[in-house]
Amino acid sequence: TLLSSLGLGTTLTFASSHWLLAWMGLEINTLAIIPLMAQHHHPRAVEATTKYFLTQATAAAMILFASTTNAWITGAWNMNNVSNPIASTMIITALALKIGLSPMHFWMPEVLQGLDLLTGLVLSTWQKLAPLALIIQTAQAIDPLLLTTLGLMSTLIGGWGGLNQTQLRKILAYSSIAHMGWMIIVLQYAPQLTLLALLTYIFMTSAAFLTLKTSSATKIGTLATVWSKSPILTTTTALVLLSLAGLPPLTGFMPKWLILQELAKQSLPLIATIMALAALLSLYFYLRLCYAMTLTISPNTTTSTTPWRVQTTQASFPLALATVMALGLLPVT
């Protein structure tokens, strides 16, 4: 029931051109994921669920308020003419809060840290779809400066925040913030590039989360002992992380390349330069993970328990599919 409601909420938001219906889809979506997040009854999970619920409810209330304001002024509820600047600014702020764009990103690492890896995967991929659909539909009515600021701040904070983290879920949360920034920065010039970046982001994040799920790793220290258990998985994981960082010839290079090209084409060289340098910040912490996984042999006195070599009962097909997509899609360009 919960999973179908999760799907239904997002689909409702996709299909709607009326603000009330979109709001209802977002609400169904939020209410469906909350029991999924708290299902293990771990105190951390419950705390994360509470934080998530509060942020999402705030954002939904803001969306409702902004669309009511817009309807009050213009007399129309449909999405494609949010002509009132106050309403459009409030809507983009609420949607940014929903997907965790900086400076409304503070809940994201905290919430992701409290969840198990599969729910974290749902939170960082599926839960982004509905708000992003709304952002794409209303992007033309929004102040370009605001969108650019959101995108730039998100990539910078997503890079800086992840630098001193040792928890893998927090690192993935900051990487998610940075990727959302890349999507938002190019939205007003080429929305199809936003969709491309979203698609590649979903593939790469799924590969990363499913890998961590297979090796049940949540800290960097645990990664150092994975190589002895599953060497091939370790190799592909290093490549997936570099793909998340956006290095050629992996899939993650494609959206960054095209977005920088588009920004340069729109004669925004300064913004393109800042984005490229912000990508370096992210690259640093992905390289830390690669270093811990593949370039160090853990000392004999490990602080983490060495994993037993047992036959895994987890389905490996989604992981294989996501890894192939995250590594080999660059020739599509």
Side-chain angles (χ1 to χ4, degrees), residues 37 42 44-46 48 109-116 169:
M37 290 166 74
H42 191 282
R44 285 265 175 93
V46 176
E110 301 291 327
V111 167
L112 209 56
Q113 179 56 34
L115 305 178
D116 67 308
R169 286 167 293 190

Side-chain angles (χ1 to χ4, degrees), residues 229 308-314:
K229 188 182 168 194
W308 287 88
R309 295 170 185 252
V310 286
Q311 280 298 315
T312 176
T313 54
Q314 304 176 39

Side-chain angles (χ1 to χ4, degrees), residues 291-308:
Y291 182 77
M293 281 194 82
T294 56
L295 298 175
T296 55
I297 289 181
S298 59
N300 293 329
T301 53
T302 52
T303 49
S304 55
T305 52
T306 311
W308 287 88

